[in-house]
Amino acid sequence: MLGSNSAIGFSSSGDGEDTQPIWLDDLSCTGNETTVLECLHAGFGKSNCRHKEDISVACGKPEDGAVRLVGGKDNTEGRVEVFHDDVWGTICDDEFGIKDAHVICRQLGFDYANRAFGSAAFGEGLEPTWIDDLECVGDEDTVADCPRNDWGDENCGHTEDVGVSCFTLESPLEVRLVGGNDTKRGTVEVNFNNEWGTICDDQWDLDNAKVVCRQLGFYTAVEAPIQAAFGEGSGRILLDDVQCEGDEETLITCSHREIGESNCQHDEDAGVVCANPEDGTLRRNEENGRLEVYYFGDWGAVCDDKWQTNFQNLQVACRELTGGLPDYWAKTATAIYPDDPVWLDEVTCNGDETSLADCPANSPGDSDCTHQEDVSVFCLPPSTEEEFDIRLVDANGNEGTSGRVEVFLKGAWGTVCDDEFGLEEANVVCRSMGYNSADDFTQLGGGNGTIWLDNLECIGDEPNLLHCIHAGLNKSNCAHREDVGVTCTPPEPDGIRLVDNRVEIYHDDQWGTVCDDDWDIKDATVACRELGFKYVAGVFGHGTSVESGTGEIWLDNVMCEGTETQLAECPSNGWGNHNCGHTEDAGVACVDESDLGGIRLTGGSSENEGRLELEYQGEWWAVCDDDWDILGADVACKQLGFDRGAEAETQSSHFTQGPMQYILDDVQCTGLENHLLECSHKVLKEHNCGDSEQAGVICLPNKPPALGDAQLFDPETNTTGGSQGIVQVFYEGEFGTICNNDWDFADAFVVCKSLGFLGVENHAANLGEGTGDVLLDAVECSGTEEGVVNCTNSGWNTNKCDHSQDVAVVCREEPHEVRLVNGQTESQGRVEVNHDGKWGTICDDSWSIEDADVICKQLGYENGALAALGAATWGQGEEEIILDEVKCTGEESAISGCLHSGFGEHNCEHSEDAGVICDDGQPLVDVRLVGGGAAHEGRVELNIVDEWGTVCDDKWNILSANVICRMLGFPGAAKAPGQAAFGEGTGPILLDETTCTGSEESIDDCEHSPWTTNNCKHSEDAGVVCFLENEAPVSVRLVDGASASEGRVELLYKDEWGTICDDSWDLNDANVICNSLGYNGALAAVITAGFGPGSSGSPIHLDDVDCDGDEGAIEECNHRGFGENNCGHAEDAGVQCREFKEGEIRLVGGASPREGRVEIYHEGEFGTICDDLWQIADANVTCKQLGFPGVEELTTFNEFPGAEGMIWMDEVSCVGKETSLSQCDFPGWGINNCGHAEDAGVRCLQAVPENGGNGGDKAPAPIPGGNELAGPP
């Protein structure tokens, strides 16, 4: 009445004025009245007292948050009022329930609430309304501790004031089951203050039953029977309208009517059927978090052995207990259950188990632990991940791609400690924020608030940091100076992501959406492919909307062909050009291929017809026949392995129908798809079809197999044509199996390749037993055979095997992902392959440039590889060695298509890890000369991968030296010394077995052993002596012959004429000399000083000359090196050259000897022919004069450019019978109106060899040097 909570004292004050009346006497109150007028008294003004008996009281001020009940019939019920800011106010009934009422009643000193009232059931209070949206958990001490709005933050009137009725139990509420045939079932009876009664089944459900069963000591309830299923009870019906949430400790804490208030009869008595847990069931003691597991009828503990080092244990336990994420584990605070068994010990979960009982561990009860080692677990509520957020904050407080890592948990931003933080953790941070990966991480410091996470250990593929190993939320030994910072790699420009199936694209440094105008299956296919998925589960747009995005709408009217690799490659209106709102945002759902199974036909009379069914997520689903046509049927038949496609589509009830679930509806194919999911369709499982609308097909049967044809039979789906199955081969009209004796990866490789697959996933799969005969055994393939029947084998039906030895394989359809690691640029590095979700390396055994080419082309380098390196050039890997003995041809599209020894099959160490340098347009090697007396000589050293090394002299010669010298800017090489002529180098020996033609632009273009692979020592280091600019090319002359066209060969080198030794001297060498002097090749190569010896004082410049014949100068041929010889002048070499004759012709500038610009010899020089009137007859005469059988094609307009000098002929007109071009009609020598842009050419037919072979590009009498010459008849 006066606003105080209670009186703290009273006394006879006797200080009233004599003139005032004494209004009340003989007062008798219970203490619950709201005013003194409600108490018993003698009547107003009726008193036998004097003022010296006037009473006084001292009132106590209530505490802030105190509660009282007003307006009830006694102190157990009434309107709830709460004291705050020196004023009593009410509570609004929004969200008010029995849990709130329990807290209020306990705060008032009662045990429980009987009932929670709203709508001012005890009358309307006065202002203010202090509390609204009250949501107590139920275990709070005061109502002020409960979640709620701030004081006075409400939108209520006093018609919504709440009330409660409270009670106190004289003894704990007991529960029993009556009428059942065992202790686990029966009618529920409760004992309230020593009175047993039943419960009415109004609102009775399994959650209510669970509370009863747990109160009785059972694990849970499995049924909640009603209508007196176990017989009618007697006595009062004590509870009605019971509504539990299922987690209450006792039935009395659930919502219900007032005890004893009911509108029921005993034929509505409620019952329960309780159950104890199965072995391995897990629970958590809510008092101390102790983990308890059930075995053999008893609950016991879990020992903490292995928990310190295996975070996966906690992950599995929390997932099983709450479906949420782990927080932390600890030893149970006190051993409160000393008699309990310790059921589990040495638990070592992998992390993907559904139950802790599925994890590897000792047998139940096999433990040497005490209860001091009991595990307690603490899990994060599921809402934790929902509220979780993350950001990067720089020194200026701005959010971006780089900065201090801050996470939002429990309503507040905090930081992350850098203990154990590495690149994997940084990658999780960045990917959870929508970035591709992390560039860097560092100790940044400078944060404030809670340090939420510490000791993080991530694998790198977790969706956010909460999924990583950590010390527990807010469990850190760090200071803010240890706050970690991360720099993220921004998203790929114009890359995409999915946000709740909404497509977003990153452009101009911000994410935006795509409008659904023209959005269709082709666009969705490209989007899924860009995201790494193969098929589309659903296309969203045009009324099937996704949640609206924000920000820019980047693309509109996207119209993909379906073959693009990125959405940004598709035609559209252009960036930011649209007429859409975010209600038109486009979306897509992609199919996880692991959810896909097989395809089958059912209900038909033969294997090639029936109702179409697809396997998805382990179940079979039908296809609805809406829009089903022959094109869709054709795709389905080919997917089923019927190569000839469909004969007909079927609809409605053509084949036997039955209740089915539908996965596809409104399927519309073009007929070119490889899988039904590539066709346009509704979202998976979305349809408007009934049981009689199942689509079917009649497929054209495959052509009969030929002898030795292979197929894969999948016994699980009873189908062939898939990528896995028991290997079957065809023999004498039937398919049979192959025995696994000697079966290896190469054998499986041949099978998979012959069936059109990329490669092998598993060469020895266990798929069960086949049928028919075991036809082949002891199969041994090299890997290059066209079919398994072409491999070495035991012969048909020659074996002692049974079907338990049947070979089965899994072929690979998609390429393995590859990457380059640790390179100085992205185009080089150690090769790593992703197999079964794990990255690993490739051993360098047999590693070649062809293998490297395949890797580089798979990574997008069109020109392939520059180098294939081994010996862990880019450091040693740490994970598994996945491939060894890789043997690519260079034509494969991916490394998965190359032969190898089998996944994980190797005899290597990581010191043999293979690597590549891909052709990114930059030169591969630098070269230098070391140890010489001048810049033009020295030991050859090469630099690749920022390391200098030498070249071994095995096969080293002047041709290789020529390439080195030209790389260094010199005109060529004079010498090619080996055996460390310029001293021994250090570091690696990079090249060995180098074989050049001499025309290569770079030494890495020459043939050589794989980089760093050699059998050499530095005592074999190769060197060069290069020509200086004024030393080459050398001059040549013929001396002491009978005519100018013959004689001893002499060379001018370093201002001194010298000879050539005749060791290895032959016609090819002579041809080079004669051609370089302008003659028509050589007639003879003369030896043993046939034209006399050179002067005794002159040098012998060359020895062991070895020309191909088409070199432009003698120094371009292989030789010992200038001045290097073991000869005397009695071995001086000579030549007889063939002089050109009038009217001889040649072809110049072609890619082969049978094509080129036509040139004719007249008056001592060659000139061209103008293409005016140049006809097939003219070209035919030309080719026959050159010794070819005829003309393949004539050319005009200078297709072979480069001519200078005279144009000898124009308007040539041959009949075709002429034996030389000069016999044809033409205006006269040198008479023309042409320029060299009109030079005529020919492409002649290949000459047919005399032995009847396949022919070649050479005429019967080729002249070295690339010019084909013939004289007049």
Side-chain angles (χ1 to χ4, degrees), residues 1156-1158 1168-1175 1193-1203 1210 1233-1243:
R1157 179 179 67 250
V1158 182
T1168 63
I1169 299 171
C1170 182
D1171 63 9
D1172 293 348
L1173 303 182
W1174 186 247
Q1175 301 292 327
E1193 182 184 10
L1194 61 86
T1195 72
T1196 57
F1197 297 110
N1198 197 25
E1199 184 174 325
F1200 306 101
D1210 188 15
N1233 59 354
C1234 305
H1236 281 296
E1238 300 172 80
D1239 286 344
V1242 297
R1243 205 167 271 112

Coordinates of all heavy atoms in Angstrom, one line a residue, residues 1156-1158 1168-1175 1193-1203 1210 1233-1243:
G1156 N 58.1 -25.1 -103.0 CA 58.8 -23.8 -102.9 C 58.7 -22.9 -104.1 O 57.9 -23.2 -105.1
R1157 N 59.4 -21.8 -104.0 CA 59.4 -20.9 -105.1 C 60.3 -21.4 -106.3 O 61.4 -22.0 -106.0 CB 60.0 -19.5 -104.6 CG 60.1 -18.4 -105.6 CD 60.7 -17.2 -105.0 NE 62.1 -17.3 -104.6 CZ 62.5 -17.4 -103.3 NH1 61.6 -17.3 -102.4 NH2 63.8 -17.5 -103.0
V1158 N 59.8 -21.3 -107.5 CA 60.5 -21.9 -108.7 C 61.6 -20.9 -109.1 O 61.3 -19.7 -109.4 CB 59.6 -22.2 -109.8 CG1 60.4 -22.8 -111.0 CG2 58.5 -23.2 -109.4
T1168 N 63.7 -15.8 -110.8 CA 62.3 -16.4 -110.6 C 61.5 -16.3 -111.8 O 61.9 -15.9 -112.9 CB 61.6 -15.6 -109.5 OG1 61.4 -14.2 -109.9 CG2 62.4 -15.6 -108.2
I1169 N 60.2 -16.9 -111.7 CA 59.2 -16.9 -112.7 C 58.0 -16.2 -112.3 O 57.5 -16.4 -111.2 CB 58.9 -18.4 -113.1 CG1 60.2 -19.1 -113.6 CG2 57.8 -18.5 -114.1 CD1 60.0 -20.6 -113.8
C1170 N 57.5 -15.3 -113.1 CA 56.3 -14.5 -112.8 C 55.1 -15.5 -112.9 O 55.0 -16.3 -113.8 CB 56.1 -13.3 -113.7 SG 54.7 -12.3 -113.3
D1171 N 54.0 -15.2 -112.0 CA 52.9 -16.1 -112.0 C 51.8 -15.7 -113.1 O 50.7 -16.4 -113.1 CB 52.3 -16.2 -110.6 CG 51.7 -14.8 -110.2 OD1 51.6 -13.9 -111.0 OD2 51.4 -14.7 -108.9
D1172 N 52.1 -14.7 -113.9 CA 51.1 -14.5 -115.0 C 50.9 -15.7 -115.9 O 51.9 -16.3 -116.4 CB 51.6 -13.3 -115.9 CG 51.6 -12.0 -115.1 OD1 51.0 -11.9 -114.0 OD2 52.2 -11.0 -115.6
L1173 N 49.7 -16.1 -116.1 CA 49.3 -17.3 -116.9 C 49.9 -18.6 -116.3 O 49.9 -19.6 -117.0 CB 49.8 -17.1 -118.3 CG 49.2 -15.9 -119.1 CD1 49.7 -15.9 -120.5 CD2 47.7 -15.9 -119.0
W1174 N 50.4 -18.6 -115.0 CA 51.0 -19.8 -114.5 C 49.8 -20.8 -114.2 O 48.9 -20.6 -113.5 CB 51.7 -19.4 -113.1 CG 52.4 -20.5 -112.4 CD1 52.1 -21.1 -111.3 CD2 53.6 -21.2 -112.9 NE1 53.1 -22.0 -110.9 CE2 54.0 -22.1 -111.9 CE3 54.4 -21.0 -114.0 CZ2 55.2 -22.9 -112.0 CZ3 55.6 -21.8 -114.1 CH2 55.9 -22.7 -113.1
Q1175 N 49.9 -22.0 -114.9 CA 48.9 -23.0 -115.0 C 49.4 -24.3 -114.5 O 50.6 -24.5 -114.3 CB 48.3 -23.1 -116.4 CG 47.7 -21.8 -116.9 CD 46.5 -21.4 -116.2 OE1 45.7 -22.2 -115.7 NE2 46.3 -20.1 -116.1
E1193 N 49.9 -29.1 -106.4 CA 49.3 -27.8 -106.3 C 50.2 -26.8 -106.8 O 51.5 -26.9 -106.6 CB 48.9 -27.6 -104.9 CG 48.2 -26.3 -104.7 CD 47.9 -26.0 -103.2 OE1 48.5 -26.7 -102.3 OE2 47.2 -25.0 -102.9
L1194 N 49.7 -25.8 -107.6 CA 50.5 -24.6 -107.9 C 50.2 -23.5 -107.0 O 49.2 -23.4 -106.4 CB 50.3 -24.2 -109.4 CG 48.9 -23.8 -109.8 CD1 48.7 -22.3 -109.6 CD2 48.7 -24.1 -111.3
T1195 N 51.2 -22.6 -106.9 CA 51.0 -21.4 -106.0 C 51.3 -20.2 -106.7 O 52.2 -20.2 -107.7 CB 51.9 -21.5 -104.7 OG1 53.2 -21.3 -105.1 CG2 51.7 -22.9 -104.0
T1196 N 50.7 -19.1 -106.3 CA 50.9 -17.8 -106.9 C 51.1 -16.8 -105.8 O 51.0 -17.1 -104.6 CB 49.7 -17.4 -107.9 OG1 48.5 -17.4 -107.1 CG2 49.6 -18.3 -109.0
F1197 N 51.2 -15.5 -106.2 CA 51.3 -14.4 -105.2 C 52.4 -14.6 -104.2 O 52.2 -14.3 -103.0 CB 49.9 -14.1 -104.6 CG 48.9 -13.7 -105.6 CD1 47.9 -14.5 -105.9 CD2 49.0 -12.4 -106.3 CE1 46.9 -14.1 -106.9 CE2 48.1 -12.0 -107.2 CZ 47.0 -12.9 -107.5
N1198 N 53.5 -15.2 -104.6 CA 54.7 -15.2 -103.7 C 54.4 -15.9 -102.4 O 54.7 -15.4 -101.3 CB 55.2 -13.8 -103.5 CG 56.6 -13.7 -103.0 OD1 57.4 -14.7 -103.2 ND2 56.9 -12.7 -102.2
E1199 N 53.8 -17.1 -102.5 CA 53.6 -17.9 -101.2 C 54.9 -18.2 -100.5 O 54.9 -18.4 -99.3 CB 52.8 -19.1 -101.6 CG 52.4 -19.9 -100.3 CD 51.5 -21.1 -100.6 OE1 50.7 -21.0 -101.6 OE2 51.6 -22.1 -99.9
F1200 N 56.0 -18.3 -101.3 CA 57.3 -18.6 -100.7 C 58.2 -17.3 -100.9 O 59.0 -17.3 -101.9 CB 57.9 -19.8 -101.4 CG 57.0 -21.0 -101.3 CD1 56.2 -21.4 -102.4 CD2 56.9 -21.7 -100.1 CE1 55.4 -22.5 -102.3 CE2 56.0 -22.8 -100.0 CZ 55.3 -23.2 -101.1
P1201 N 58.1 -16.3 -100.1 CA 58.7 -15.0 -100.4 C 60.2 -15.1 -100.1 O 60.8 -16.1 -99.6 CB 58.1 -14.1 -99.4 CG 57.7 -15.0 -98.2 CD 57.3 -16.3 -98.9
G1202 N 60.9 -14.0 -100.4 CA 62.3 -13.9 -100.1 C 63.3 -13.7 -101.3 O 64.5 -13.6 -101.1
A1203 N 62.7 -13.8 -102.5 CA 63.6 -13.7 -103.7 C 64.1 -12.3 -103.9 O 63.5 -11.3 -103.6 CB 62.8 -14.2 -104.9
D1210 N 58.2 -15.0 -117.8 CA 56.8 -14.5 -117.5 C 55.9 -15.1 -118.6 O 56.4 -15.5 -119.7 CB 56.8 -12.9 -117.6 CG 55.5 -12.3 -117.2 OD1 54.7 -13.1 -116.5 OD2 55.2 -11.2 -117.4
N1233 N 56.6 -7.9 -116.8 CA 56.0 -6.7 -116.2 C 55.6 -7.0 -114.7 O 54.6 -6.5 -114.2 CB 54.8 -6.2 -117.0 CG 53.7 -7.2 -117.0 OD1 53.9 -8.4 -116.6 ND2 52.5 -6.8 -117.6
C1234 N 56.5 -7.7 -114.1 CA 56.1 -8.2 -112.7 C 57.1 -7.7 -111.7 O 58.2 -7.2 -112.0 CB 56.2 -9.8 -112.7 SG 55.2 -10.5 -114.0
G1235 N 56.7 -7.9 -110.4 CA 57.5 -7.8 -109.3 C 57.6 -9.1 -108.5 O 56.9 -10.1 -108.9
H1236 N 58.5 -9.2 -107.5 CA 58.7 -10.5 -106.8 C 57.5 -10.9 -106.0 O 57.4 -12.0 -105.6 CB 59.9 -10.4 -106.0 CG 61.2 -10.6 -106.7 ND1 61.5 -11.8 -107.4 CD2 62.3 -9.8 -107.0 CE1 62.7 -11.7 -108.0 NE2 63.2 -10.4 -107.8
A1237 N 56.5 -10.0 -105.8 CA 55.3 -10.4 -105.2 C 54.4 -11.3 -106.0 O 53.4 -11.9 -105.5 CB 54.4 -9.1 -104.8
E1238 N 54.8 -11.5 -107.3 CA 54.1 -12.4 -108.2 C 54.9 -13.6 -108.5 O 54.6 -14.3 -109.5 CB 53.8 -11.6 -109.5 CG 52.9 -10.4 -109.3 CD 52.7 -9.6 -110.6 OE1 51.9 -9.9 -111.4 OE2 53.5 -8.6 -110.7
D1239 N 55.9 -13.9 -107.7 CA 56.7 -15.1 -108.0 C 55.9 -16.4 -107.9 O 55.1 -16.6 -107.0 CB 57.9 -15.2 -107.0 CG 59.0 -14.2 -107.3 OD1 59.0 -13.6 -108.4 OD2 59.8 -13.9 -106.4
A1240 N 56.1 -17.3 -108.9 CA 55.3 -18.5 -109.0 C 56.0 -19.6 -108.2 O 57.2 -19.6 -107.9 CB 55.2 -19.0 -110.4
G1241 N 55.2 -20.6 -107.7 CA 55.7 -21.7 -106.9 C 54.9 -23.0 -107.2 O 53.9 -22.9 -107.9
V1242 N 55.4 -24.1 -106.7 CA 54.7 -25.4 -106.9 C 54.8 -26.2 -105.6 O 55.6 -25.9 -104.7 CB 55.3 -26.2 -108.0 CG1 55.1 -25.5 -109.3 CG2 56.7 -26.6 -107.7
R1243 N 53.9 -27.2 -105.5 CA 53.9 -28.2 -104.5 C 53.8 -29.5 -105.2 O 52.7 -29.8 -105.8 CB 52.8 -28.0 -103.5 CG 53.0 -28.6 -102.1 CD 52.0 -28.0 -101.1 NE 52.4 -26.8 -100.4 CZ 51.9 -25.6 -100.6 NH1 50.8 -25.5 -101.4 NH2 52.3 -24.6 -100.0

